[in-house]
Amino acid sequence: MDEVTVVVAHSERATLRVGDVFLKVDADQARIDAEVEAMSLAPVPTPEVLWRKPHVLAIAALPGRTVGRLGGPSTGSPAAWAAAGAAIRNLHDAPLPPRPGGAGRSVVALAAELDDECELLVRNGLLPADLVTRNRQVAEAALRPWTLAFTHGDLQIAHVFVDGDEVTGIIDWSEAGQGDALYDLATFTLGHEEHLGDVVAGYGTNVDLDVIRAWWSLRSLLVVRWLIEHGFDPFAPGCEVDVLRSRM
């Protein structure tokens, strides 16, 4: 009998694996519906949707393995990272989906959220004031106008699967929609700065590396408190707090 493996779980959603099937349980049915819609529109490999019922989405497992993981070594070759960059470019060049995504918040909303979060991080003693101040300064470069693109919105390294040097699929599309293309590139390379050049080479166009580095700081500042409150460890080696420290 296949065992049930808990891939990730917190108060908002959980993902379970049973054999070659992943079950995504989400308190917000709209996220499931948005994920299925985004996968149907994305011009990149995505998992097969097996069935969908209220609050549960069943998808087939993808071949291969992830390019790596945050806080761990890269398991993908430079060519695999470049192939991921090319796939991301195909996504960003696709016609815009109908709704804004996780990478599509306005500059005004982002700046307000960032300021509030920085204040809470310092007030609650979660991070030193100098670390927060420095990364808030770095993050400023991301707060600029951008051209809307079809973005994944949560393109963590663990969401991209490769087999050899070929991308076999991208998972977890619940935050997909219109947004800033450089947010996706930054999320994918977070904690793996050594592969940024490979990804940009595969992406195939000039990108503003300072903006990508700014998104590393911005994203990390915004998620540290949430991760702690939901049982994750942003202080683990190579994870979000180390990303913030690398900007000092």
Side-chain angles (χ1 to χ4, degrees):
M1 179 180 293
D2 291 318
E3 295 183 350
V4 176
T5 302
V6 179
V7 179
V8 64
H10 50 77
S11 61
E12 296 177 2
R13 66 188 82 166
T15 300
L16 312 175
R17 179 169 186 168
V18 186
D20 289 332
V21 177
F22 285 88
L23 300 176
K24 301 189 69 174
V25 183
D26 199 316
D28 185 353
Q29 179 65 33
R31 274 198 296 253
I32 292 178
D33 296 338
E35 178 162 8
V36 173
E37 178 186 47
M39 288 193 291
S40 72
L41 296 173
V44 296
T46 59
E48 178 189 0
V49 175
L50 301 176
W51 50 263
R52 173 178 30 158
K53 295 182 178 180
H55 298 292
V56 182
L57 172 66
I59 60 176
L62 290 169
R65 58 181 180 176
T66 63
V67 183
R69 64 180 178 86
L70 183 63
S74 165
T75 53
S77 66
W81 283 86
I88 296 168
R89 178 62 185 269
N90 288 339
L91 175 67
H92 292 165
D93 284 346
L96 290 176
R99 69 190 80 205
R105 287 171 288 178
S106 73
V107 171
V108 173
L110 271 172
E113 182 181 356
L114 181 60
D115 288 341
D116 290 344
E117 198 62 35
C118 288
E119 180 182 351
L120 287 170
L121 288 169
V122 175
R123 183 198 308 163
N124 295 340
L126 297 176
L127 292 176
D130 61 340
L131 184 65
V132 172
T133 299
R134 170 57 182 157
N135 278 276
R136 175 62 182 85
Q137 293 169 346
V138 173
E140 188 68 28
L143 302 175
R144 86 286 176 221
W146 58 73
T147 301
L148 290 174
F150 189 154
T151 55
H152 181 279
D154 189 24
L155 197 61
Q156 300 176 47
I157 186 175
H159 292 163
V160 178
F161 283 72
V162 295
D163 187 359
D165 298 335
E166 178 184 355
V167 174
T168 58
I170 300 176
I171 64 172
D172 283 3
W173 291 82
S174 59
E175 301 297 327
Q178 302 171 17
D180 180 8
L182 296 191
Y183 178 86
D184 272 354
L185 291 175
T187 303
F188 180 61
T189 55
L190 185 76
H192 285 279
E193 185 171 359
E194 73 278 9
H195 284 292
L196 178 58
D198 299 323
V199 174
V200 171
Y203 194 74
T205 189
N206 292 329
V207 299
D208 191 330
L209 300 183
D210 287 339
V211 173
I212 289 180
R213 295 184 180 102
W215 272 121
W216 288 339
S217 290
L218 200 160
R219 178 182 170 90
S220 297
L221 287 169
L222 290 183
V223 302
V224 163
R225 187 170 59 91
W226 185 94
L227 290 169
I228 293 171
E229 291 175 352
H230 288 80
F232 301 100
D233 184 10
F235 292 89
C239 292
E240 287 80 5
V241 175
D242 272 356
V243 171
L244 294 173
R245 289 170 177 155
S246 71
R247 299 303 105 190
M248 297 297 286

